[in-house]
Amino acid sequence: MTKPFRSGCPINLTLERLGDRWSLIIIRDIMFGNRRHYRDLLDNSEEGIASNILADRLKKLVEAGLLSTAPDPTHKQKTIYSLTEPSIQLVPLLAQMGAWGRRFTPATPDLSIRAQLLEEGGPEMWEAFMAELQSLHLGGEPPQRSVTKELTEAYLAAIA
């Protein structure tokens, strides 16, 4: 039986669906880092997520329809995690959270560069990024513009 929501407020419902900070961090790592396997998410976590928390949050994100799973054709015991359309539509929210974090927290320059580019690129860049994520995670023709490549190149330049 599904537990009732605390209220019908859209902000409350969004927070109840996304859960806690780890859920957004996992979506961020899949979205921006293209980390698609459990081990990759665990080993490359900037924040050091515990294995039991990662397993629990992945399960909850799949149950909530924010991630989907498929067997990895290259390894029978691995699962590939993919973003679903609802999680891809979080790009503008994550871009705004990154912009807010750059202004009001002690964010580091190297980890802020992608947020800066998304803020400066605005809705046009967000739409291009969502189209690229849709292609990568949901199938279809890849778009001509690769926002992932732009963000990765900027990050690599920032850490160089």
Side-chain angles (χ1 to χ4, degrees):
M1 179 149 174
T2 307
K3 83 173 190 182
F5 296 106
R6 293 177 190 204
S7 79
C9 168
I11 294 171
N12 170 69
L13 292 169
T14 301
L15 290 172
E16 286 194 34
R17 176 62 49 107
L18 295 173
D20 61 282
R21 78 180 190 113
W22 289 116
S23 296
L24 281 176
I25 296 296
I26 291 165
I27 290 171
R28 177 207 66 190
D29 287 351
I30 294 171
M31 186 178 287
F32 294 99
N34 198 31
R35 299 177 192 155
R36 309 283 298 276
H37 295 95
Y38 174 88
R39 180 60 54 194
D40 198 19
L41 288 161
L42 183 66
D43 292 346
N44 295 304
S45 170
E46 290 279 335
E47 294 77 16
I49 190 169
S51 60
N52 62 322
I53 293 173
L54 176 59
D56 179 67
R57 293 321 182 276
L58 286 169
K59 181 180 177 209
K60 286 181 179 177
L61 288 166
V62 169
E63 288 172 355
L66 294 166
L67 295 178
S68 64
T69 62
D72 187 333
T74 66
H75 194 288
K76 291 182 181 187
Q77 294 179 330
K78 286 186 175 183
T79 298
I80 298 173
Y81 291 93
S82 295
L83 301 171
T84 61
E85 187 62 33
S87 57
I88 290 169
Q89 293 297 318
L90 289 170
V91 165
L93 175 66
L94 291 174
Q96 291 292 342
M97 288 177 70
W100 187 91
R102 286 182 55 243
R103 279 191 211 91
F104 300 111
T105 70
T108 59
D110 58 329
L111 294 178
S112 295
I113 189 64
R114 290 176 280 213
Q116 178 183 338
L117 290 178
L118 284 168
E119 181 179 10
E120 291 169 356
E124 182 181 323
M125 186 178 216
W126 307 343
E127 289 293 330
F129 188 38
M130 288 189 290
E132 184 177 4
L133 291 170
Q134 288 162 341
S135 170
L136 180 64
H137 291 268
L138 305 176
E141 267 316 291
Q144 288 188 342
R145 180 179 183 184
S146 175
V147 174
T148 300
K149 182 179 177 194
E150 294 172 38
L151 297 175
T152 300
E153 288 173 354
Y155 173 72
L156 292 174
I159 63 172

